[in-house]
Short mmCIF file of all heavy atoms in Angstrom, two decimals:
data_model
loop_
_atom_site.label_atom_id
_atom_site.label_comp_id
_atom_site.label_asym_id
_atom_site.label_seq_id
_atom_site.Cartn_x
_atom_site.Cartn_y
_atom_site.Cartn_z
N GLU A 202 3.81 -0.70 -1.46
CA GLU A 202 3.92 0.19 -2.63
C GLU A 202 3.33 -0.47 -3.87
O GLU A 202 2.93 0.19 -4.81
CB GLU A 202 5.38 0.58 -2.89
CG GLU A 202 5.98 1.54 -1.85
CD GLU A 202 5.52 3.01 -2.03
OE1 GLU A 202 4.41 3.24 -2.54
OE2 GLU A 202 6.28 3.90 -1.63
N PHE A 281 -7.57 19.50 -0.35
CA PHE A 281 -7.68 18.11 0.07
C PHE A 281 -8.62 17.92 1.26
O PHE A 281 -9.14 16.82 1.46
CB PHE A 281 -6.28 17.50 0.26
CG PHE A 281 -5.62 17.35 -1.07
CD1 PHE A 281 -4.67 18.24 -1.51
CD2 PHE A 281 -6.03 16.34 -1.92
CE1 PHE A 281 -4.10 18.12 -2.78
CE2 PHE A 281 -5.49 16.21 -3.18
CZ PHE A 281 -4.52 17.11 -3.61
N VAL A 291 -7.67 9.54 -2.13
CA VAL A 291 -6.87 10.10 -3.19
C VAL A 291 -5.62 9.22 -3.35
O VAL A 291 -5.09 8.75 -2.36
CB VAL A 291 -6.47 11.53 -2.81
CG1 VAL A 291 -5.44 12.09 -3.77
CG2 VAL A 291 -7.70 12.43 -2.80
N ASP A 292 -5.20 8.99 -4.57
CA ASP A 292 -4.00 8.17 -4.78
C ASP A 292 -2.81 9.09 -5.02
O ASP A 292 -2.19 9.59 -4.10
CB ASP A 292 -4.28 7.18 -5.92
CG ASP A 292 -3.10 6.24 -6.17
OD1 ASP A 292 -2.14 6.30 -5.38
OD2 ASP A 292 -3.13 5.47 -7.14
N MET A 293 -2.42 9.32 -6.27
CA MET A 293 -1.25 10.20 -6.53
C MET A 293 -1.65 11.66 -6.24
O MET A 293 -2.75 12.07 -6.57
CB MET A 293 -0.87 10.17 -8.02
CG MET A 293 -0.35 8.89 -8.57
SD MET A 293 -0.36 8.92 -10.41
CE MET A 293 1.29 9.42 -10.81
N ILE A 294 -0.72 12.42 -5.69
CA ILE A 294 -0.92 13.87 -5.63
C ILE A 294 0.35 14.49 -6.21
O ILE A 294 1.46 14.09 -5.83
CB ILE A 294 -1.05 14.40 -4.18
CG1 ILE A 294 -2.23 13.74 -3.46
CG2 ILE A 294 -1.24 15.93 -4.19
CD1 ILE A 294 -2.40 14.17 -2.01
N VAL A 295 0.18 15.41 -7.11
CA VAL A 295 1.33 16.03 -7.75
C VAL A 295 1.13 17.55 -7.80
O VAL A 295 0.10 18.04 -8.23
CB VAL A 295 1.47 15.49 -9.20
CG1 VAL A 295 2.38 16.36 -10.01
CG2 VAL A 295 2.00 14.06 -9.18
N GLN A 296 2.11 18.25 -7.26
CA GLN A 296 2.09 19.71 -7.44
C GLN A 296 3.47 20.13 -7.89
O GLN A 296 4.47 19.80 -7.25
CB GLN A 296 1.75 20.44 -6.14
CG GLN A 296 1.68 21.96 -6.37
CD GLN A 296 2.07 22.78 -5.16
OE1 GLN A 296 1.54 22.55 -4.08
NE2 GLN A 296 2.99 23.70 -5.33
N SER A 307 -2.59 18.33 -9.30
CA SER A 307 -3.29 17.18 -9.89
C SER A 307 -3.33 16.04 -8.88
O SER A 307 -2.42 15.90 -8.08
CB SER A 307 -2.58 16.67 -11.13
OG SER A 307 -2.68 17.60 -12.18
N PHE A 308 -4.38 15.28 -8.96
CA PHE A 308 -4.42 14.07 -8.14
C PHE A 308 -5.23 13.02 -8.88
O PHE A 308 -5.96 13.33 -9.81
CB PHE A 308 -4.98 14.35 -6.75
CG PHE A 308 -6.34 14.97 -6.72
CD1 PHE A 308 -7.47 14.18 -6.64
CD2 PHE A 308 -6.49 16.35 -6.77
CE1 PHE A 308 -8.75 14.74 -6.60
CE2 PHE A 308 -7.75 16.92 -6.75
CZ PHE A 308 -8.87 16.13 -6.67
N THR A 309 -5.07 11.78 -8.45
CA THR A 309 -5.86 10.72 -9.08
C THR A 309 -6.74 10.07 -8.02
O THR A 309 -6.41 10.07 -6.83
CB THR A 309 -4.97 9.64 -9.74
OG1 THR A 309 -4.21 8.99 -8.74
CG2 THR A 309 -4.05 10.23 -10.78
N LYS A 342 -2.21 3.97 -13.91
CA LYS A 342 -0.94 4.24 -13.26
C LYS A 342 -0.04 3.03 -13.40
O LYS A 342 -0.43 1.92 -13.08
CB LYS A 342 -1.17 4.56 -11.78
CG LYS A 342 0.11 4.89 -11.03
CD LYS A 342 -0.19 5.26 -9.57
CE LYS A 342 -0.59 4.05 -8.74
NZ LYS A 342 -0.54 4.31 -7.29
N ILE A 374 4.18 12.24 -13.37
CA ILE A 374 5.20 11.42 -12.71
C ILE A 374 5.20 11.75 -11.23
O ILE A 374 5.11 12.93 -10.86
CB ILE A 374 6.63 11.72 -13.23
CG1 ILE A 374 6.71 11.61 -14.75
CG2 ILE A 374 7.66 10.80 -12.55
CD1 ILE A 374 8.06 12.08 -15.33
N THR A 375 5.32 10.73 -10.40
CA THR A 375 5.56 10.97 -8.98
C THR A 375 6.45 9.83 -8.47
O THR A 375 6.46 8.76 -9.04
CB THR A 375 4.25 11.13 -8.18
OG1 THR A 375 4.54 11.41 -6.82
CG2 THR A 375 3.39 9.89 -8.26
N THR A 376 7.21 10.13 -7.41
CA THR A 376 8.13 9.11 -6.92
C THR A 376 8.07 9.01 -5.40
O THR A 376 7.59 9.92 -4.73
CB THR A 376 9.59 9.50 -7.28
OG1 THR A 376 9.89 10.76 -6.69
CG2 THR A 376 9.81 9.58 -8.78
N SER A 377 8.55 7.90 -4.88
CA SER A 377 8.83 7.81 -3.46
C SER A 377 10.24 7.22 -3.38
O SER A 377 10.86 6.98 -4.40
CB SER A 377 7.84 6.91 -2.75
OG SER A 377 8.19 5.55 -2.92
N GLU A 378 10.72 6.94 -2.18
CA GLU A 378 12.06 6.38 -2.04
C GLU A 378 12.26 5.10 -2.83
O GLU A 378 13.31 4.85 -3.35
CB GLU A 378 12.33 6.10 -0.56
CG GLU A 378 13.04 7.18 0.19
CD GLU A 378 12.48 8.57 -0.06
OE1 GLU A 378 11.31 8.73 -0.49
OE2 GLU A 378 13.22 9.53 0.16
N LYS A 380 9.93 3.84 -5.26
CA LYS A 380 8.92 3.68 -6.31
C LYS A 380 8.90 4.84 -7.28
O LYS A 380 9.16 5.98 -6.90
CB LYS A 380 7.57 3.59 -5.62
CG LYS A 380 6.38 3.53 -6.54
CD LYS A 380 5.15 3.23 -5.72
CE LYS A 380 3.91 3.20 -6.57
NZ LYS A 380 2.75 2.77 -5.79
N ILE A 381 8.67 4.54 -8.54
CA ILE A 381 8.39 5.58 -9.53
C ILE A 381 7.06 5.22 -10.18
O ILE A 381 6.88 4.10 -10.64
CB ILE A 381 9.47 5.64 -10.63
CG1 ILE A 381 10.85 5.92 -10.01
CG2 ILE A 381 9.13 6.72 -11.67
CD1 ILE A 381 11.98 5.95 -11.05
N SER A 382 6.13 6.18 -10.18
CA SER A 382 4.85 5.94 -10.83
C SER A 382 4.62 6.95 -11.94
O SER A 382 4.95 8.13 -11.78
CB SER A 382 3.68 6.15 -9.82
OG SER A 382 3.75 5.20 -8.79
N MET A 491 13.42 13.28 -5.71
CA MET A 491 12.02 13.36 -6.11
C MET A 491 11.92 13.74 -7.60
O MET A 491 12.68 14.57 -8.08
CB MET A 491 11.29 14.46 -5.34
CG MET A 491 11.26 14.28 -3.85
SD MET A 491 10.94 15.87 -3.00
CE MET A 491 9.19 16.08 -3.22
N ILE A 492 10.93 13.16 -8.27
CA ILE A 492 10.65 13.59 -9.64
C ILE A 492 9.15 13.93 -9.68
O ILE A 492 8.34 13.18 -9.15
CB ILE A 492 10.91 12.47 -10.67
CG1 ILE A 492 12.37 11.99 -10.57
CG2 ILE A 492 10.58 12.96 -12.08
CD1 ILE A 492 12.68 10.79 -11.47
N VAL A 493 8.85 15.07 -10.25
CA VAL A 493 7.45 15.49 -10.34
C VAL A 493 7.16 16.02 -11.72
O VAL A 493 7.86 16.91 -12.22
CB VAL A 493 7.13 16.61 -9.31
CG1 VAL A 493 5.71 17.11 -9.49
CG2 VAL A 493 7.33 16.13 -7.90
N MET A 544 -1.21 4.72 5.20
CA MET A 544 -1.40 6.01 4.56
C MET A 544 -2.42 5.91 3.44
O MET A 544 -3.17 6.81 3.20
CB MET A 544 -0.11 6.50 3.95
CG MET A 544 1.05 6.37 4.90
SD MET A 544 1.58 7.93 5.54
CE MET A 544 2.05 8.71 4.08
N ALA A 551 -2.47 13.37 4.24
CA ALA A 551 -2.08 14.52 3.45
C ALA A 551 -2.78 15.76 3.99
O ALA A 551 -2.18 16.83 4.11
CB ALA A 551 -2.46 14.29 1.98
N MET A 554 -1.03 16.89 7.12
CA MET A 554 0.30 17.43 6.81
C MET A 554 0.17 18.83 6.20
O MET A 554 0.81 19.79 6.65
CB MET A 554 1.03 16.51 5.83
CG MET A 554 2.42 16.97 5.50
SD MET A 554 3.22 15.79 4.39
CE MET A 554 4.93 16.34 4.47
N PHE A 555 -0.68 18.96 5.19
CA PHE A 555 -0.84 20.26 4.53
C PHE A 555 -1.42 21.28 5.51
O PHE A 555 -1.06 22.45 5.48
CB PHE A 555 -1.74 20.14 3.29
CG PHE A 555 -1.24 19.15 2.25
CD1 PHE A 555 -2.11 18.55 1.36
CD2 PHE A 555 0.11 18.82 2.15
CE1 PHE A 555 -1.67 17.63 0.40
CE2 PHE A 555 0.58 17.91 1.21
CZ PHE A 555 -0.34 17.30 0.34
N ILE A 568 4.90 18.74 -4.40
CA ILE A 568 4.33 17.60 -3.66
C ILE A 568 4.50 16.35 -4.50
O ILE A 568 4.26 16.37 -5.70
CB ILE A 568 2.79 17.74 -3.44
CG1 ILE A 568 2.45 19.07 -2.74
CG2 ILE A 568 2.24 16.55 -2.66
CD1 ILE A 568 0.96 19.32 -2.67
N ASN A 569 4.92 15.28 -3.89
CA ASN A 569 4.73 13.99 -4.54
C ASN A 569 4.39 12.93 -3.49
O ASN A 569 4.67 13.10 -2.33
CB ASN A 569 5.84 13.63 -5.52
CG ASN A 569 7.11 13.13 -4.90
OD1 ASN A 569 7.26 13.12 -3.69
ND2 ASN A 569 8.03 12.71 -5.74
N THR A 570 3.74 11.88 -3.93
CA THR A 570 3.20 10.94 -2.96
C THR A 570 3.39 9.50 -3.45
O THR A 570 3.63 9.26 -4.62
CB THR A 570 1.67 11.12 -2.81
OG1 THR A 570 1.05 10.92 -4.09
CG2 THR A 570 1.32 12.47 -2.25
N SER A 571 3.25 8.58 -2.52
CA SER A 571 3.20 7.18 -2.87
C SER A 571 2.33 6.51 -1.84
O SER A 571 1.74 7.17 -1.00
CB SER A 571 4.59 6.57 -2.85
OG SER A 571 4.96 6.29 -1.52
N GLU A 572 2.29 5.18 -1.90
CA GLU A 572 1.46 4.42 -0.98
C GLU A 572 1.87 4.62 0.49
O GLU A 572 1.04 4.54 1.37
CB GLU A 572 1.60 2.94 -1.31
CG GLU A 572 0.37 2.27 -1.81
CD GLU A 572 -0.02 2.68 -3.21
OE1 GLU A 572 0.86 2.97 -4.06
OE2 GLU A 572 -1.21 2.72 -3.46
N VAL A 573 3.15 4.81 0.73
CA VAL A 573 3.60 4.87 2.12
C VAL A 573 4.26 6.20 2.52
O VAL A 573 4.80 6.30 3.59
CB VAL A 573 4.58 3.72 2.47
CG1 VAL A 573 3.90 2.37 2.33
CG2 VAL A 573 5.83 3.78 1.63
N ARG A 574 4.18 7.20 1.66
CA ARG A 574 4.70 8.50 2.08
C ARG A 574 4.11 9.66 1.31
O ARG A 574 3.63 9.53 0.21
CB ARG A 574 6.22 8.55 2.07
CG ARG A 574 6.86 8.24 0.74
CD ARG A 574 8.32 8.69 0.78
NE ARG A 574 9.14 7.86 1.63
CZ ARG A 574 10.12 8.35 2.41
NH1 ARG A 574 10.36 9.63 2.50
NH2 ARG A 574 10.87 7.53 3.11
N VAL A 575 4.15 10.83 1.98
CA VAL A 575 3.81 12.09 1.32
C VAL A 575 5.06 12.96 1.45
O VAL A 575 5.54 13.18 2.56
CB VAL A 575 2.61 12.80 1.99
CG1 VAL A 575 2.29 14.09 1.24
CG2 VAL A 575 1.40 11.88 2.04
N ASN A 576 5.60 13.43 0.33
CA ASN A 576 6.76 14.29 0.33
C ASN A 576 6.36 15.68 -0.10
O ASN A 576 5.62 15.83 -1.07
CB ASN A 576 7.80 13.82 -0.69
CG ASN A 576 8.38 12.46 -0.36
OD1 ASN A 576 8.65 12.16 0.80
ND2 ASN A 576 8.61 11.64 -1.37
N VAL A 577 6.87 16.70 0.58
CA VAL A 577 6.69 18.06 0.07
C VAL A 577 8.04 18.77 0.11
O VAL A 577 8.91 18.42 0.92
CB VAL A 577 5.66 18.89 0.87
CG1 VAL A 577 4.33 18.20 0.97
CG2 VAL A 577 6.18 19.25 2.25
#
Side-chain angles (χ1 to χ4, degrees):
E202 289 283 28
F281 290 101
V291 171
D292 182 6
M293 294 165 96
I294 302 177
V295 164
Q296 182 210 309
S307 291
F308 56 92
T309 64
K342 181 177 72 166
I374 306 172
T375 182
T376 59
S377 81
E378 266 46 21
K380 175 172 179 174
I381 301 178
S382 296
M491 299 159 78
I492 303 174
V493 176
M544 313 254 299
M554 182 178 193
F555 302 155
I568 305 173
N569 78 355
T570 58
S571 80
E572 245 73 32
V573 298
R574 57 166 71 219
V575 181
N576 295 322
V577 305

